[in-house]
Amino acid sequence: MNDIYPSRRETTPRIIPRDDPVVYGTWSPSSPLTKDQVDRFGRDGYLVLPDVFTESEIHNLQSAATALLANPAALDRETVITEPGSGEVRSIFMVDRQDVAMGRLAADERLAGIARFLLADDVYIHQSRLNYKPGFVGKDFYWHSDFETWHVEDGMPRMRALSISVLLESNTMINGPLMIMPGSHRKFLSCVGATPRDHYRSSLKKQEYGIPDERSLAALASEHGIAAATGAAGTVVIFDCNAMHGSNSNITPFPRANAFIVYNAVSNRLAPPFGAETPRPEFIASRRRVVPVQTPAITLQEAARLSITHAAGTSAGGKTAGTV
Ligand code: 6CS
Ligand code: FE
């Protein structure tokens, strides 16, 4: 397959103009976003939607996330990523398949409906994760484009995917919120440095390949600025697969926990990696389960009750990992 976004091949970085739409859908009054929201997403590459989930829904999701964190032994071991140099949990991947509440969240029409509209296709879960950034010890995520990694290491052909972050705690200016360069999604920054074998074993802890050079980042930041996607728990942040983003460490006492769901258009399913010898494992990038997200049969509340009961059972009775 022709690679229109080559990266990690050359010895000098390059800026390649985006050759894909940002908003694939055509707005109408029945769209799940207002015209102004759609225009802002197209322009900036991200959108902050406050109060998407109720306090009670967020409380249940927080309980589910806390239960997962309290009992990582009940999860598929390779999906639990700790901070470099400590046993602190940094991320839990594939949460949509390991926890009923997270699986229900990923299928929620308030999220999947927006993804289907913006991508103008059925969508499936490319990746899901809980990113914990605990107080005092939560570490940074350096600047990167998700698409650069998903294209080079997972074989995602085109820019027809997006992430939706559900804030489970308040993301403020001080506890390491997502920082995004508005408008950067229209430029693909090719990176220098061939992908090491099994790169994901280190990159999910601290990414060192597939990150842009400082000169390119400085130029992008000067041109586009840097915005922080802040909001109270229950806020949703939607960002394009190619938006340049990162987040600082959290040295405050206030935790920052977000659930990220990555929706990919079914027509954009993964091909062989464009810049790595072997594809990354299923828990990071869905290949075997390209199943269009369906309307769920139970409410988020019912799913959370099941999830917390399940977690209580596993913590009492030991590991019963595997999908729920
Ligand atoms: O490699 C990945 O897929 C993950 N890494 C980062 C820094 N963001 C996207 C995703 O979680
Ligand atoms: Fe990212």
PDB file of all heavy atoms in Angstrom, residues 288-303:
ATOM      1  N   ARG A 288      -8.018  -8.110  15.144  1.00  0.00           N
ATOM      2  CA  ARG A 288      -8.923  -9.263  15.018  1.00  0.00           C
ATOM      3  C   ARG A 288     -10.367  -8.865  15.291  1.00  0.00           C
ATOM      4  O   ARG A 288     -11.296  -9.559  14.902  1.00  0.00           O
ATOM      5  CB  ARG A 288      -8.483 -10.358  16.007  1.00  0.00           C
ATOM      6  CG  ARG A 288      -7.133 -10.980  15.679  1.00  0.00           C
ATOM      7  CD  ARG A 288      -6.927 -12.306  16.425  1.00  0.00           C
ATOM      8  NE  ARG A 288      -6.943 -12.115  17.880  1.00  0.00           N
ATOM      9  CZ  ARG A 288      -5.841 -11.826  18.595  1.00  0.00           C
ATOM     10  NH1 ARG A 288      -4.685 -11.671  17.973  1.00  0.00           N
ATOM     11  NH2 ARG A 288      -5.885 -11.657  19.901  1.00  0.00           N
ATOM     12  N   ARG A 289     -10.537  -7.755  15.998  1.00  0.00           N
ATOM     13  CA  ARG A 289     -11.912  -7.412  16.402  1.00  0.00           C
ATOM     14  C   ARG A 289     -12.315  -6.077  15.791  1.00  0.00           C
ATOM     15  O   ARG A 289     -12.372  -5.055  16.460  1.00  0.00           O
ATOM     16  CB  ARG A 289     -12.013  -7.350  17.929  1.00  0.00           C
ATOM     17  CG  ARG A 289     -13.407  -7.773  18.410  1.00  0.00           C
ATOM     18  CD  ARG A 289     -13.517  -7.714  19.893  1.00  0.00           C
ATOM     19  NE  ARG A 289     -13.657  -6.326  20.334  1.00  0.00           N
ATOM     20  CZ  ARG A 289     -14.315  -5.989  21.451  1.00  0.00           C
ATOM     21  NH1 ARG A 289     -14.858  -6.929  22.177  1.00  0.00           N
ATOM     22  NH2 ARG A 289     -14.410  -4.744  21.823  1.00  0.00           N
ATOM     23  N   VAL A 290     -12.526  -6.103  14.490  1.00  0.00           N
ATOM     24  CA  VAL A 290     -12.987  -4.888  13.811  1.00  0.00           C
ATOM     25  C   VAL A 290     -14.511  -4.989  13.753  1.00  0.00           C
ATOM     26  O   VAL A 290     -15.108  -5.315  12.729  1.00  0.00           O
ATOM     27  CB  VAL A 290     -12.361  -4.786  12.401  1.00  0.00           C
ATOM     28  CG1 VAL A 290     -12.847  -3.519  11.698  1.00  0.00           C
ATOM     29  CG2 VAL A 290     -10.845  -4.778  12.513  1.00  0.00           C
ATOM     30  N   VAL A 291     -15.125  -4.775  14.925  1.00  0.00           N
ATOM     31  CA  VAL A 291     -16.586  -4.947  15.057  1.00  0.00           C
ATOM     32  C   VAL A 291     -17.217  -3.571  15.236  1.00  0.00           C
ATOM     33  O   VAL A 291     -16.874  -2.869  16.195  1.00  0.00           O
ATOM     34  CB  VAL A 291     -16.907  -5.830  16.294  1.00  0.00           C
ATOM     35  CG1 VAL A 291     -18.410  -5.969  16.474  1.00  0.00           C
ATOM     36  CG2 VAL A 291     -16.211  -7.172  16.195  1.00  0.00           C
ATOM     37  N   PRO A 292     -18.084  -3.168  14.325  1.00  0.00           N
ATOM     38  CA  PRO A 292     -18.701  -1.842  14.483  1.00  0.00           C
ATOM     39  C   PRO A 292     -19.360  -1.714  15.855  1.00  0.00           C
ATOM     40  O   PRO A 292     -20.005  -2.663  16.329  1.00  0.00           O
ATOM     41  CB  PRO A 292     -19.746  -1.795  13.369  1.00  0.00           C
ATOM     42  CG  PRO A 292     -19.264  -2.768  12.333  1.00  0.00           C
ATOM     43  CD  PRO A 292     -18.574  -3.855  13.104  1.00  0.00           C
ATOM     44  N   VAL A 293     -19.142  -0.595  16.504  1.00  0.00           N
ATOM     45  CA  VAL A 293     -19.719  -0.359  17.836  1.00  0.00           C
ATOM     46  C   VAL A 293     -21.247  -0.401  17.725  1.00  0.00           C
ATOM     47  O   VAL A 293     -21.824   0.206  16.839  1.00  0.00           O
ATOM     48  CB  VAL A 293     -19.264   1.010  18.387  1.00  0.00           C
ATOM     49  CG1 VAL A 293     -20.003   1.378  19.652  1.00  0.00           C
ATOM     50  CG2 VAL A 293     -17.754   0.988  18.632  1.00  0.00           C
ATOM     51  N   GLN A 294     -21.856  -1.202  18.606  1.00  0.00           N
ATOM     52  CA  GLN A 294     -23.316  -1.365  18.563  1.00  0.00           C
ATOM     53  C   GLN A 294     -23.969  -0.560  19.704  1.00  0.00           C
ATOM     54  O   GLN A 294     -23.328  -0.309  20.723  1.00  0.00           O
ATOM     55  CB  GLN A 294     -23.663  -2.853  18.797  1.00  0.00           C
ATOM     56  CG  GLN A 294     -22.838  -3.830  17.975  1.00  0.00           C
ATOM     57  CD  GLN A 294     -23.466  -4.111  16.619  1.00  0.00           C
ATOM     58  OE1 GLN A 294     -24.654  -4.062  16.511  1.00  0.00           O
ATOM     59  NE2 GLN A 294     -22.648  -4.344  15.607  1.00  0.00           N
ATOM     60  N   THR A 295     -25.236  -0.280  19.517  1.00  0.00           N
ATOM     61  CA  THR A 295     -25.988   0.370  20.605  1.00  0.00           C
ATOM     62  C   THR A 295     -26.099  -0.613  21.771  1.00  0.00           C
ATOM     63  O   THR A 295     -26.540  -1.747  21.576  1.00  0.00           O
ATOM     64  CB  THR A 295     -27.403   0.741  20.108  1.00  0.00           C
ATOM     65  OG1 THR A 295     -27.249   1.468  18.902  1.00  0.00           O
ATOM     66  CG2 THR A 295     -28.146   1.570  21.148  1.00  0.00           C
ATOM     67  N   PRO A 296     -25.670  -0.201  22.949  1.00  0.00           N
ATOM     68  CA  PRO A 296     -25.637  -1.151  24.076  1.00  0.00           C
ATOM     69  C   PRO A 296     -27.041  -1.513  24.585  1.00  0.00           C
ATOM     70  O   PRO A 296     -27.979  -0.743  24.431  1.00  0.00           O
ATOM     71  CB  PRO A 296     -24.868  -0.398  25.145  1.00  0.00           C
ATOM     72  CG  PRO A 296     -24.847   1.014  24.731  1.00  0.00           C
ATOM     73  CD  PRO A 296     -25.163   1.104  23.285  1.00  0.00           C
ATOM     74  N   ALA A 297     -27.106  -2.678  25.191  1.00  0.00           N
ATOM     75  CA  ALA A 297     -28.413  -3.177  25.677  1.00  0.00           C
ATOM     76  C   ALA A 297     -28.688  -2.688  27.097  1.00  0.00           C
ATOM     77  O   ALA A 297     -29.827  -2.644  27.540  1.00  0.00           O
ATOM     78  CB  ALA A 297     -28.401  -4.704  25.649  1.00  0.00           C
ATOM     79  N   ILE A 298     -27.623  -2.338  27.845  1.00  0.00           N
ATOM     80  CA  ILE A 298     -27.846  -1.923  29.244  1.00  0.00           C
ATOM     81  C   ILE A 298     -27.405  -0.470  29.415  1.00  0.00           C
ATOM     82  O   ILE A 298     -26.654   0.073  28.607  1.00  0.00           O
ATOM     83  CB  ILE A 298     -27.067  -2.833  30.223  1.00  0.00           C
ATOM     84  CG1 ILE A 298     -25.552  -2.804  29.927  1.00  0.00           C
ATOM     85  CG2 ILE A 298     -27.591  -4.239  30.219  1.00  0.00           C
ATOM     86  CD1 ILE A 298     -24.724  -3.571  30.948  1.00  0.00           C
ATOM     87  N   THR A 299     -27.872   0.132  30.507  1.00  0.00           N
ATOM     88  CA  THR A 299     -27.474   1.527  30.769  1.00  0.00           C
ATOM     89  C   THR A 299     -26.064   1.544  31.358  1.00  0.00           C
ATOM     90  O   THR A 299     -25.551   0.518  31.838  1.00  0.00           O
ATOM     91  CB  THR A 299     -28.433   2.169  31.795  1.00  0.00           C
ATOM     92  OG1 THR A 299     -28.239   1.494  33.051  1.00  0.00           O
ATOM     93  CG2 THR A 299     -29.882   2.057  31.342  1.00  0.00           C
ATOM     94  N   LEU A 300     -25.483   2.733  31.382  1.00  0.00           N
ATOM     95  CA  LEU A 300     -24.150   2.896  31.968  1.00  0.00           C
ATOM     96  C   LEU A 300     -24.207   2.546  33.459  1.00  0.00           C
ATOM     97  O   LEU A 300     -23.318   1.905  34.008  1.00  0.00           O
ATOM     98  CB  LEU A 300     -23.682   4.342  31.768  1.00  0.00           C
ATOM     99  CG  LEU A 300     -22.202   4.656  31.963  1.00  0.00           C
ATOM    100  CD1 LEU A 300     -21.325   3.747  31.133  1.00  0.00           C
ATOM    101  CD2 LEU A 300     -21.933   6.111  31.610  1.00  0.00           C
ATOM    102  N   GLN A 301     -25.310   2.909  34.097  1.00  0.00           N
ATOM    103  CA  GLN A 301     -25.445   2.616  35.544  1.00  0.00           C
ATOM    104  C   GLN A 301     -25.458   1.109  35.770  1.00  0.00           C
ATOM    105  O   GLN A 301     -24.790   0.586  36.641  1.00  0.00           O
ATOM    106  CB  GLN A 301     -26.747   3.227  36.076  1.00  0.00           C
ATOM    107  CG  GLN A 301     -26.968   4.696  35.699  1.00  0.00           C
ATOM    108  CD  GLN A 301     -25.996   5.644  36.378  1.00  0.00           C
ATOM    109  OE1 GLN A 301     -24.790   5.484  36.240  1.00  0.00           O
ATOM    110  NE2 GLN A 301     -26.528   6.605  37.097  1.00  0.00           N
ATOM    111  N   GLU A 302     -26.265   0.404  34.962  1.00  0.00           N
ATOM    112  CA  GLU A 302     -26.348  -1.056  35.141  1.00  0.00           C
ATOM    113  C   GLU A 302     -24.983  -1.694  34.895  1.00  0.00           C
ATOM    114  O   GLU A 302     -24.528  -2.572  35.630  1.00  0.00           O
ATOM    115  CB  GLU A 302     -27.392  -1.635  34.158  1.00  0.00           C
ATOM    116  CG  GLU A 302     -28.832  -1.333  34.518  1.00  0.00           C
ATOM    117  CD  GLU A 302     -29.767  -1.456  33.297  1.00  0.00           C
ATOM    118  OE1 GLU A 302     -29.253  -1.560  32.146  1.00  0.00           O
ATOM    119  OE2 GLU A 302     -31.006  -1.442  33.504  1.00  0.00           O
ATOM    120  N   ALA A 303     -24.286  -1.186  33.868  1.00  0.00           N
ATOM    121  CA  ALA A 303     -22.959  -1.742  33.558  1.00  0.00           C
ATOM    122  C   ALA A 303     -22.000  -1.496  34.714  1.00  0.00           C
ATOM    123  O   ALA A 303     -21.225  -2.367  35.104  1.00  0.00           O
ATOM    124  CB  ALA A 303     -22.436  -1.101  32.281  1.00  0.00           C
TER     125      ALA A 303
END
